[in-house]
């Protein structure tokens, strides 16, 4: 059975024209010398031709009219690439990466690496002064970077729009 | 009436606002899309509704067609996803190729076809009926390859599968088709071989 399947697979590839030149010459020889291969080839070739000859199904006569009536209610949506700008996506990604990195750096800065290991946590949360989190130079600097990134993004969007209007004009 | 224009030329015209030009694309591909869907959903009414939906979706997304593939390949990708969504919505089981139930469902359909065996069928009708007995997956891949004129690479794009997987699936689908023909149309098959 496996051998038969193997023969069929090779013959289908041969019929479809997907065999390599070496495989083709080997199958050519087998078709001339081996009756089993020859019979199987004719059997599959017949099915192949029948499938090619099979007729297409036809929808109702009103099909095109129905479609045209439906699309009359719609307009073509703008191309996705026009409103999903890769630069904007990268900008948003950069914003969040900066945000996460900033918080990680700040978090690690809070860790007392010299503390005794009697506590399971290296950070004593009771000693973290949360009131200072949003009131020190590091966070202020971090927020400034984010604001700058936001302005760069805005500038890009406006520049793209200007470019588009110039092209249309 | 055919305009003799290429698909891409028609698309350019439609994108420039010539909506009526789209009718040519619908005329050109309606039978391919309809056949593909019918072989998956097995109901003419549903197939017609889905086919209309496919052409409306294609029209609305036409600006996204970048011409990197043939228009037909792009259209059949929409056809494939729309049909699968429909089948899921209807809670019809989309059988995987290795699912044993494929054969059970196909076999249960066979009884209806056996009654018609007395009639002398043309060979082409026999193939169409045998394809109708296949699972949606098998019927789709055979239709894409033989009737929709898509090569293995194009089918792999439409079905989002590796080319080698498509090749294997096509082989299996043909083997099952042959099995169906031998089982249900033995007299006709004898004449063929």
């Amino acid at each position: 059975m496996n051998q038969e399947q193997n023969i069929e697979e090779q013959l289908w590839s041969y019929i479809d024209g997907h065999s390599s030149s070496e495989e083709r010459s080997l199958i050519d020889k087998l078709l001339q010398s081996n009756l089993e291969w020859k019979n199987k080839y004719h059997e599959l070739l017949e099915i192949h031709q029948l499938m090619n000859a099979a007729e297409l199904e036809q929808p109702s006569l009103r099909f095109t009219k129905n479609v045209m009536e439906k699309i009359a209610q719609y307009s073509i949506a703008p191309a996705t690439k026009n409103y999903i700008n890769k630069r904007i996506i990268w900008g948003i990604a950069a914003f969040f990466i900066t945000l996460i990195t900033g918080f990680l750096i700040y978090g690690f800065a809070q860790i007392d690496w010299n503390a005794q290991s009697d506590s399971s946590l290296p950070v004593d949360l009771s000693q973290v002064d949360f009131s200072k989190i949003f009131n020190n130079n590091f966070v202020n600097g971090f927020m400034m970077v984010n604001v700058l990134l936001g302005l760069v993004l805005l500038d890009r969007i406006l520049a793209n729009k200007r470019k588009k209007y110039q092209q249309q004009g | 009436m055919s305009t003799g224009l290429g698909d891409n030329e028609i698309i350019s015209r439609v994108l420039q606002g010539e909506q009526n030009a789209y009718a040519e694309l619908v005329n050109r591909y309606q039978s391919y899309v309809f056949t593909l869907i019918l072989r998956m959903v097995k109901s003419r009414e549903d197939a017609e509704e889905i086919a209309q939906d496919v052409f409306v979706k294609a029209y609305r997304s036409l600006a996204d067609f970048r011409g990197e593939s043939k228009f037909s390949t792009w259209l059949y990708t929409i056809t494939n996803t729309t049909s699968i969504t429909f089948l899921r919505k209807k809670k019809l089981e989309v059988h995987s190729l290795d699912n044993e139930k494929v054969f059970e469902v196909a076999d249960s359909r066979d009884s209806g076809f056996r009654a018609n065996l007395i009639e002398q069928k043309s060979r082409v009708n026999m193939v169409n009926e045998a394809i109708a007995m296949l699972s949606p997956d098998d019927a789709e891949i055979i239709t894409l390859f033989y009737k929709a004129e898509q090569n293995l690479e194009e089918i792999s794009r439409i079905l989002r599968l590796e080319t080698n997987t498509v090749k294997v699936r096509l082989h299996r689908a043909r083997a099952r088709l042959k099995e169906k023909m031998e089982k249900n149309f033995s007299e006709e098959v004898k004449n063929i071989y």
Side-chain angles (χ1 to χ4, degrees), chain A residues 8 12 16 18 43 46-48 50-52 54 57-60 64 66 68 70-71 77 79-80, chain B residues 19 27 30-31 34-35 44 48 52 60 63-64 123-124 127-128 146-147 152 171 174 177-178 192-193:
Chain A
E8 280 193 10
W12 276 126
D16 294 340
H18 296 144
E43 193 180 307
E46 188 67 40
I47 293 173
H48 177 80
L50 280 175
M51 283 195 280
N52 273 325
E57 301 282 348
Q58 298 298 328
S60 68
T64 305
N66 287 343
M68 295 310 285
K70 278 189 179 178
I71 66 163
T80 319
Chain B
Q19 195 181 55
N27 283 332
Q30 58 175 282
S31 46
F34 181 70
T35 304
R44 291 191 80 86
E48 179 126 358
Q52 284 182 22
R60 297 202 69 195
D64 276 328
R123 290 173 173 187
V124 170
V127 173
N128 277 337
Y146 283 100
K147 300 317 303 169
L152 294 181
H171 280 314
R174 283 191 288 212
L177 180 74
K178 190 167 160 273
I192 290 171
Y193 297 163

Side-chain angles (χ1 to χ4, degrees), chain A residues 38-165:
Chain A
K38 196 178 174 181
N39 289 341
K40 185 61 77 181
Y41 170 73
H42 286 297
E43 193 180 307
L44 298 185
L45 187 66
E46 188 67 40
I47 293 173
H48 177 80
Q49 284 165 350
L50 280 175
M51 283 195 280
N52 273 325
E55 284 167 13
L56 290 168
E57 301 282 348
Q58 298 298 328
S60 68
L61 291 172
R62 271 190 58 88
F63 187 84
T64 305
K65 204 175 174 188
N66 287 343
V67 172
M68 295 310 285
E69 278 171 10
K70 278 189 179 178
I71 66 163
Q73 301 162 23
Y74 298 106
S75 56
I76 299 171
T80 319
K81 65 176 180 184
N82 288 351
Y83 57 85
I84 299 180
N85 189 325
K86 277 188 179 174
R87 284 178 179 177
I88 292 173
I89 291 172
W90 280 113
I92 293 166
F95 175 82
F96 282 107
I97 288 167
T98 315
L99 196 75
I100 292 163
T101 313
F103 274 109
L104 282 174
I105 291 168
Y106 182 74
F108 280 116
Q110 294 292 311
I111 297 171
D112 182 4
W113 298 101
N114 297 320
Q116 296 288 329
S117 60
D118 55 341
S119 164
S120 57
L121 276 173
V123 183
D124 185 358
L125 289 175
S126 63
Q127 287 183 2
V128 177
D129 187 1
F130 288 100
S131 66
K132 286 182 179 175
I133 289 175
F134 297 103
N135 192 25
N136 64 31
N137 290 336
F138 179 78
V139 174
N140 287 343
F142 181 65
M143 296 300 276
M144 187 71 84
V145 170
N146 280 325
V147 170
L148 277 172
L149 272 174
L151 288 170
V152 170
L153 270 177
L154 186 67
D155 178 61
R156 287 267 167 92
I157 293 166
L158 293 174
N160 279 342
K161 277 193 175 178
R162 192 171 59 228
K163 202 173 160 186
K164 202 193 279 181
Y165 283 126

